[in-house]
Amino acid sequence: MNIATEVSRRSTCLRRQIGAIVVNEAGEIKSTGYNGNPRELPHCEEIGCIRDILKIPSGTRLETCTGVHAEQNALIQAGIFSKRATLYTTIAPCPVCARMIINAQILRVVYSGDYADHGGLELLQLAGVAVERFVPQAGAGSSAGG
């Protein structure tokens, strides 16, 4: 989870910095992803956040944002290496990301932060994807998991 947190620092989103990594069964990192606008488009740090401008609450009207979620970027980068892998993410996946995770055949999702819409977690559980909330152990500091 520490690696996913570090990857999140590359995010260009003004609202929330999210990071995700795909790790295969052998424990090898196959891809990383962070949230931000697609390649070749201006980033929110340059043009401002459309969701803030329109006062859209977190977890609603996802189609308004031009950003690509960290989980989506990690899955795109991993390609076929997502099959039977674990996805670590710094936030619970939204319903759109959950559907992509299911189709990518991810076996397990480990997340640390809450998301306003719990529908993604419900979809993952319904599809039989193992879901775990990462809770750092007291006194573990930066040596915890991931």
Side-chain angles (χ1 to χ4, degrees), residues 84-89 93 98 101-102 105-111 120-134:
R84 305 192 51 78
T86 296
L87 183 126
Y88 292 87
T89 178
I101 289 166
I102 293 163
Q105 300 178 49
I106 293 281
L107 291 181
R108 178 174 162 242
V109 172
V110 180
Y111 71 97
L121 293 176
E122 293 167 7
L123 283 170
L124 291 171
Q125 291 167 341
L126 184 64
V129 176
V131 176
E132 297 174 33
R133 170 107 193 224
F134 174 79

Side-chain angles (χ1 to χ4, degrees), residues 23-114:
V23 179
N24 71 7
E25 293 173 295
E28 302 164 331
I29 296 172
K30 290 300 175 182
S31 69
T32 65
Y34 54 88
N35 58 323
N37 278 349
R39 289 179 177 95
E40 308 305 323
L41 292 184
H43 291 277
C44 297
E45 54 196 13
E46 302 167 49
I47 60 172
C49 174
I50 187 66
R51 294 177 62 80
D52 281 346
I53 294 165
L54 298 175
K55 298 181 180 5
I56 298 171
S58 180
T60 63
R61 297 184 48 206
L62 300 178
E63 72 283 355
T64 304
C65 180
T66 55
V68 179
H69 289 190
E71 302 93 330
Q72 295 168 351
N73 275 322
L75 291 172
I76 290 165
Q77 297 301 321
I80 62 169
F81 295 109
S82 325
K83 189 173 183 178
R84 305 192 51 78
T86 296
L87 183 126
Y88 292 87
T89 178
T90 59
I91 193 169
C94 73
V96 173
C97 288
R99 292 191 297 265
M100 295 176 85
I101 289 166
I102 293 163
N103 272 2
Q105 300 178 49
I106 293 281
L107 291 181
R108 178 174 162 242
V109 172
V110 180
Y111 71 97
S112 60
D114 283 324

